[in-house]
């Protein structure tokens, strides 16, 4: 686990240096939401989706720089590398969900968006939607490689944003008509998400161990 954590720390340092635009976009979208109010509530979804996509961005940087091949010549294994990317995905998505929840609370305290009308309660389901989408696309990314599967970029963006946005859309209307449904989602979705992530991680490790560079 120490080796995986060391890789993750390196990933976040690299992302901070090279992806300040993404971090800036997350902050910008949340500021717009706070200033504009409920009419721009869809922007709050993007903090979760963009947070999850950082793992995919990290994979792209590694392949372009050759880091993914170099790291395998050291004490790190392919399994360590793959699980590190999943941990980045998990941390990025949860981080985006925390940002969403905090902004939602601020919007309620400032009177911009009432708590019951916002998406604070949907932070968990939206994070799950993002992770479920990543569970699908990460094994494909490890199999084809980012640069060899350019169409996969479009699939990633569609699945992640559609998954998180779908959770937001369903949850937004469900909160008004079926409040008990949200409670059920908050219990069921995490279980489904964890199961899919475990299966996805297992498949990605097997795929990457057989991949030829």
């Amino acid at each position: 686990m120490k080796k995986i954590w060391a890789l993750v720390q390196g990933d976040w340092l690299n992302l901070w240096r090279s992806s300040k635009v993404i971090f800036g976009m997350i902050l910008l979208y949340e500021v717009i939401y706070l200033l504009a109010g409920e009419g721009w509530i869809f922007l709050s979804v993007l903090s979760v989706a963009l947070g999850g996509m950082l793992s995919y961005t990290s994979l792209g940087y590694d392949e372009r720089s050759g880091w993914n091949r170099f790291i395998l010549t050291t004490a790190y294994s392919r399994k360590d590398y793959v699980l590190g990317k999943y941990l980045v995905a998990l941390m990025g998505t949860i981080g985006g969900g925390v940002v969403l929840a905090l902004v939602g609370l601020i919007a309620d305290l400032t009177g911009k968006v009432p708590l019951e009308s916002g998406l604070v309660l949907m932070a968990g389901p939206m994070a799950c939607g993002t992770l479920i989408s990543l569970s699908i696309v990460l094994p494909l990314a490890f199999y084809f490689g980012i640069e060899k599967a350019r169409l996969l970029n479009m699939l990633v963006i569609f699945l992640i944003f559609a998954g998180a946005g779908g959770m937001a859309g369903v949850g937004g209307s469900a909160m008004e008509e079926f409040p008990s449904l949200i409670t059920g989602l908050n219990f069921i979705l995490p279980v489904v998400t964890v199961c899919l992530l475990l299966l996805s991680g297992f498949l990605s490790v097997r795929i990457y161990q057989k991949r030829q560079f």
Side-chain angles (χ1 to χ4, degrees):
M1 188 62 188
K2 288 183 179 180
K3 291 196 293 185
I4 295 175
W5 180 242
L7 287 174
V8 170
Q9 288 178 307
D11 282 337
W12 281 112
L13 181 59
N14 184 47
L15 286 168
W16 176 248
R17 290 173 175 172
S18 57
S19 303
K20 287 187 174 67
V21 173
I22 296 179
F23 292 104
M25 288 170 62
I26 293 175
L27 179 60
L28 176 63
Y29 291 152
E30 297 303 342
V31 170
I32 292 175
Y33 170 64
L34 283 174
L35 294 177
E38 193 172 353
W40 291 81
I41 200 169
F42 70 93
L43 286 179
S44 62
V45 177
L46 300 181
S47 65
V48 184
L50 286 173
M53 283 186 65
L54 286 171
S55 62
Y56 194 77
T57 302
S58 178
L59 269 173
Y61 286 141
D62 287 356
E63 291 200 1
R64 284 190 291 272
S65 66
W67 174 257
N68 61 323
R69 294 187 297 273
F70 169 77
I71 196 67
L72 299 181
T73 65
T74 65
Y76 296 97
S77 67
R78 296 188 181 216
K79 180 179 179 180
D80 295 331
Y81 180 79
V82 171
L83 294 183
K85 297 305 180 187
Y86 273 84
L87 187 52
V88 170
L90 188 62
M91 292 172 66
T93 304
I94 292 176
V98 170
V99 170
L100 169 62
L102 289 175
V103 170
L105 290 174
I106 294 173
D108 176 61
L109 292 174
T110 56
K112 284 290 184 179
V113 183
L115 194 64
E116 62 274 10
S117 299
L119 293 178
V120 178
L121 298 178
M122 285 301 297
M126 282 189 291
C128 288
T130 300
L131 289 172
I132 288 173
S133 301
L134 286 168
S135 296
I136 298 172
V137 299
L138 281 177
L140 296 176
F142 282 115
Y143 182 81
F144 292 106
I146 302 297
E147 296 302 323
K148 292 182 179 179
R150 297 185 184 276
L151 289 179
L152 186 59
N153 292 315
M154 298 174 61
L155 176 63
V156 169
I157 294 172
F158 174 78
L159 284 177
I160 293 177
F161 281 84
M167 292 296 176
V170 172
S173 58
M175 278 191 291
E176 298 179 0
E177 300 181 18
F178 309 101
S180 60
L181 178 60
I182 300 301
T183 303
L185 284 175
N186 285 327
F187 281 101
I188 296 173
L189 271 178
V191 176
V192 174
T193 302
V194 169
C195 291
L196 287 176
L197 273 177
L198 291 174
L199 177 60
S200 176
F202 174 77
L203 288 175
S204 292
V205 170
R206 295 292 298 273
I207 288 170
Y208 208 62
Q209 286 177 336
K210 296 180 180 180
R211 182 178 169 186
Q212 300 294 323
F213 292 103

